Amino acid sequence: MRRVCWTILPVLLCFGFLTSKPAVAQDQTQNAAPKPQSAKDRRQQARKLAGESAPYTTWVNEEVIYIITKEECDAFLHLTTNEEREQYIEEFWHRRNPDPDSPENAYREEHYRRIAYANERFSSGIPGWKTDRGHIYILWGPPDEIDSHPSGGTYDRPAHQGGGTTTTYPWELWRYRHLEDIGDNIEIEFVDTTGSGEYHITMDPGEKDALAKVPGAGLSIGEQLGIYSKAQRFSNTNGTTLPVPVGGLSAGMDEFENLDRHFKVQRPTEHFKDLAAMVSVQILRNQIHMDYRIDFLRVTHDSVLVPITLQVANRDLSFKGKDGVQSAVLNLYGRITTLSGRVVDTFEQVISTDLPDSLFQSSVNLSSIYQRSVPLRSGLYRLDVVLKDAQSGNVGTIDAALRVPLYEEESLDASSLILADQIRPVPSSQVGQGSFVLDSYKVHPRINPEFSPADKMGIFLQLYNLKLDSQSHKTNVSVAYRILKDHQQVWQQDESSEQLQQSREQVTLERNLPLSSLAPGHYTFEIYVLDLLTNQTVTRTADFTVKSPPTPKPTTQPPALSFPV
C-alpha cells in the first residue's frame, strides 16, 4: 500500500471571453420557448432506450426465465437504471452460489451449461431453451432415466393404463429419483403429436396414443372384452384420456396430485428458503457520497485505457488537526470483475487530504478527486469501489457497469469527450505516467460539469484511424466545435488539419474555452469530425451547465457613509 494525496478542485480558474455573436444568439434562444420534442425525436429516444436495455431484457426473459421467482422478476422490472440492474443480477447469482466465498459460481456455470445443452439437443424450429424438454432440463438437470421412443410405434400399455396394444406418436418419459420439495420417483412425459420434433409436456399418458380416435383400433383389454367403450376415455374425471385400468385406478393417477405435480415441476425451484426476504435490491446507504466518471481511450487495437475518476466533497470527510494541518485519511479498495465473476484488477490505497489551518475554512467546501487508470480489453465488466473514512468509520460504495468499447481498425473513431477543469502539457519525462496524465497532457475532469462564467472549460478528445494521404503522408480532417442550447447553435468554431498541426493517424484535440459570454443555463458541447479522405465522421457530445455568479453580500455601513456594493 502506498500513501497518496488527493487533488483539491479549484473554485475559480482563468478568465476569458467568447466572441460577441454567440452571446447574442444565446440571448435570443434564452428568451425563446423550449422546442417541443418531435415524434421523430421520441422514436429515436425510444430506440436508444430499447437498445440500452436489450441485454437486461434478454437476461430476464430468456436466460433466467425458468429460475427467477415472480417476486424477483417484479423487483427487477421496477429498477430504473442499468447500474441497479447490474447490481441486482450480481446479487441474484450470489444468492444461489453454493460457495459464496469462491470467485467462481458453480450454480451459474451449470445453469448456462444447461441452456447450451438444451439449445443443442432440443431445438425444433424454435431454440431448445424454449421447448418443454429444455424448460425441465434447465430447471432440474439431466434425468436419472430416459425412456425414449423417437419414432413412436407399437406400445403395450401397463395394466394401470388399461392394458392392450396400440401405436403411439414419438414420446419420452423422464424419471427423477428425487426432486426437492416435490417428491420421489417423479415421472415427466413428453409427446410429439405433430411429428415436427417438438415434444410438449403432458400430464395425460393417453395423449401419445395415435389410435385413440380411430374406431376399433388400439383397444384396451376392457374394451376388447366389451366391458367398456372407447368413448369412455374422453369422460374421465382424472384429467387423462386413458382407458379404464385393469384392477382399479392407480394412486399415481389421482387428479389433484397429478395436477399439482404437473405445475410444481415447471416452477422455479425453492432450494433457497430465504429468497422471499431477498427479492428486492438492497441498496447500501452511503455515508460518504462519491461522484465518479469513467472514460475510454484507445491504447492498441485490442486494449483500452480506462481512467476511473472519483470525487468526494471535503465536508463529508473527518478532519483532525495536528501541528497546524487538518488531515483526513481514507482507505480505498477497488475491484474489476467479468460477468462470470473472474477478478481482472484490484487496487487499494491509503489516501490523505492535508489542509493547512489557514486554508481549511476556504477548502472545506471544495472537493477532492482521485484517479486510477486500468488497461482493459473490450467487453462488459463490473466495477466495485469501497471508500472508508479511517477516523469516523463512515463508508461510501460504488458498483457500476464498465462497458469497454471496441475500437475497430480502419474506422474513424474517438475517445470519450472529457470536460475538464484544466488541461496542460506535461514534461516529456512524465508522458503517460501518474494520475490524470493522458498521453502528453494532464487532464483534471470536471465530474459535475458545472462552470461559472469566469471559468475556462477544458476540452479533451482523441481521434483514431485518420487516413494519411498517400503522397503528402498527412491527414485531411475538418473539426467543428459547437455549443448548443435547447438544440439551437449559439457558438461554433472550425479547425482544419493545418491548424491542428498533426499528421499522424491519431490526433489529440485539446483546448480551454472561455465561458464569459454564455448566460447561466444548460448547454451541450459537440465536436463533429469529418475525415475528408474517407468521408467518415464521428461525433461526441457532453452536457454542461453555466452557473450564475454568486451574489456579493451587501456590507452593512454606518448611515452617514455611502459605499458602492
Side-chain angles (χ1 to χ4, degrees):
M1 255 182 224
R2 60 190 180 90
R3 188 177 177 92
V4 299
C5 294
W6 293 79
T7 301
I8 305 300
L9 292 176
V11 178
L12 300 177
L13 294 177
C14 302
F15 295 85
F17 300 90
L18 291 173
T19 59
S20 58
K21 288 184 179 180
V24 174
Q26 191 279 332
D27 290 338
Q28 292 173 350
T29 58
Q30 184 181 15
N31 296 326
K35 184 179 179 180
Q37 191 178 36
S38 67
K40 180 179 179 182
D41 290 339
R42 289 195 296 272
R43 287 195 298 270
Q44 290 177 341
Q45 184 178 22
R47 284 195 295 270
K48 179 181 178 182
L49 292 175
E52 291 176 349
S53 62
Y56 306 103
T57 302
T58 299
W59 183 81
V60 73
N61 289 335
E62 297 183 14
E63 296 181 16
V64 298
I65 187 171
Y66 300 139
I67 64 173
I68 191 170
T69 66
K70 181 182 182 300
E71 293 80 8
E72 288 177 307
C73 185
D74 290 343
F76 182 81
L77 295 177
H78 279 86
L79 303 179
T80 57
T81 68
N82 286 347
E83 286 72 19
E84 288 178 346
R85 296 182 184 105
E86 290 290 343
Q87 179 181 0
Y88 190 93
I89 292 171
E90 189 72 17
E91 290 295 330
F92 177 90
W93 292 121
H94 181 71
R95 290 196 297 270
R96 289 160 168 80
N97 191 352
D99 184 5
D101 295 329
S102 171
E104 303 298 329
N105 189 324
Y107 181 95
R108 177 172 51 192
E109 291 177 1
E110 170 63 12
H111 175 72
Y112 283 105
R113 184 202 66 78
R114 292 179 184 181
I115 292 177
Y117 182 90
N119 287 333
E120 180 182 352
R121 296 296 297 272
F122 305 135
S123 297
S124 57
I126 61 174
W129 70 267
K130 282 188 174 183
T131 66
D132 286 351
R133 288 186 298 173
H135 182 170
I136 297 301
Y137 188 90
I138 290 169
L139 268 177
W140 301 106
D144 296 304
E145 298 177 35
I146 296 180
D147 187 4
S148 180
H149 302 267
S151 300
T154 302
Y155 175 62
D156 295 323
R157 297 188 196 91
H160 68 270
Q161 293 184 5
T165 300
T166 188
T167 300
T168 66
Y169 299 110
W171 63 285
E172 285 187 358
L173 183 67
W174 291 12
R175 295 185 181 91
Y176 290 90
R177 295 190 184 94
H178 176 78
L179 293 181
E180 189 172 348
D181 297 321
I182 297 179
D184 297 327
N185 300 318
I186 302 300
E187 295 185 344
I188 305 172
E189 192 164 309
F190 306 90
V191 61
D192 174 17
T193 57
T194 63
S196 63
E198 182 180 344
Y199 291 69
H200 66 266
I201 191 170
T202 181
M203 60 179 182
D204 176 16
E207 189 175 357
K208 63 178 174 290
D209 190 342
L211 303 179
K213 297 181 180 180
V214 179
L219 299 178
S220 69
I221 294 177
E223 291 163 352
Q224 293 175 29
L225 297 174
I227 302 174
Y228 308 109
S229 72
K230 201 170 185 180
Q232 286 180 264
R233 300 185 190 185
F234 303 98
S235 58
N236 290 337
T237 60
N238 61 5
T240 75
T241 58
L242 288 171
V244 177
V246 177
L249 187 67
S250 168
M253 285 292 102
D254 178 84
E255 177 182 3
F256 297 105
E257 288 185 9
N258 194 17
L259 188 64
D260 182 61
R261 185 168 56 249
H262 177 74
F263 286 104
K264 273 186 175 180
V265 297
Q266 298 180 75
R267 289 204 305 255
T269 59
E270 299 179 0
H271 297 170
F272 310 97
K273 302 300 183 182
D274 60 343
L275 274 183
M278 304 176 70
V279 294
S280 60
V281 177
Q282 298 179 358
I283 306 297
L284 176 65
R285 181 181 178 183
N286 286 327
Q287 299 158 309
I288 301 177
H289 175 72
M290 276 189 290
D291 291 314
Y292 68 95
R293 68 170 285 136
I294 301 168
D295 295 297
F296 305 101
L297 295 89
R298 188 193 70 174
V299 178
T300 66
H301 72 280
D302 64 348
S303 64
V304 178
L305 184 68
V306 183
I308 302 166
T309 309
L310 311 175
Q311 175 177 300
V312 177
N314 289 341
R315 62 177 176 273
D316 290 342
L317 307 181
S318 297
F319 287 88
K320 185 176 182 180
K322 183 178 181 181
D323 299 330
V325 176
Q326 298 287 333
S327 298
V329 178
L330 302 170
N331 297 322
L332 176 72
Y333 175 80
R335 182 180 65 184
I336 297 173
T337 56
T338 64
L339 292 186
S340 65
R342 180 175 62 86
V343 177
V344 176
D345 189 80
T346 60
F347 48 94
E348 55 183 12
Q349 289 184 337
V350 176
I351 304 169
S352 67
T353 297
D354 300 317
L355 303 173
D357 285 341
S358 58
L359 299 177
F360 180 70
Q361 291 302 322
S362 60
S363 300
V364 75
N365 291 323
L366 303 180
S367 296
S368 300
I369 62 174
Y370 164 81
Q371 187 178 88
R372 169 80 174 200
S373 293
V374 181
L376 295 172
R377 294 183 181 276
S378 173
L380 181 60
Y381 303 86
R382 174 187 172 95
L383 169 68
D384 291 283
V385 176
V386 179
L387 188 70
K388 183 177 181 180
D389 190 312
Q391 298 187 69
S392 68
N394 290 340
V395 173
T397 64
I398 291 173
D399 53 88
L402 277 179
R403 292 175 178 82
V404 181
L406 174 64
Y407 288 104
E408 298 282 359
E409 295 185 272
E410 306 300 328
S411 296
L412 180 63
D413 213 331
S415 68
S416 304
L417 172 58
I418 301 176
L419 303 184
D421 289 317
Q422 56 178 304
I423 301 174
R424 58 181 177 83
V426 297
S428 57
S429 60
Q430 298 179 16
V431 170
Q433 299 181 8
S435 296
F436 307 104
V437 176
L438 304 179
D439 198 8
S440 57
Y441 297 91
K442 195 148 194 173
V443 182
H444 285 252
R446 178 71 65 99
I447 294 183
N448 297 316
E450 295 183 345
F451 299 85
S452 75
D455 290 340
K456 282 188 176 180
M457 182 172 69
I459 308 299
F460 184 90
L461 182 76
Q462 288 185 339
L463 303 177
Y464 310 122
N465 300 325
L466 290 166
K467 183 73 172 180
L468 295 179
D469 184 87
S470 58
Q471 296 182 352
S472 65
H473 302 290
K474 293 183 178 181
T475 60
N476 189 2
V477 60
S478 173
V479 180
Y481 304 91
R482 299 167 181 162
I483 295 179
L484 309 175
K485 182 175 175 60
D486 298 330
H487 304 289
Q488 301 295 319
Q489 180 176 300
V490 298
W491 177 85
Q492 177 173 344
Q493 191 171 88
D494 299 329
E495 278 187 329
S496 64
S497 295
E498 290 76 13
Q499 292 169 299
L500 293 173
Q501 297 180 349
Q502 297 188 55
S503 59
R504 298 180 300 163
E505 60 88 25
Q506 176 175 317
V507 171
T508 298
L509 305 178
E510 56 81 22
R511 54 165 51 205
N512 291 286
L513 297 179
L515 303 176
S516 55
S517 61
L518 293 181
H522 300 287
Y523 297 87
T524 297
F525 182 81
E526 177 185 276
I527 296 182
Y528 174 82
V529 180
L530 169 62
D531 189 334
L532 297 170
L533 296 178
T534 63
N535 286 325
Q536 294 182 347
T537 64
V538 65
T539 303
R540 291 289 185 269
T541 62
D543 294 331
F544 70 98
T545 300
V546 176
K547 300 181 297 183
S548 300
T551 303
K553 293 183 180 180
T555 304
T556 303
Q557 302 292 346
L561 300 177
S562 178
F563 290 93
V565 178

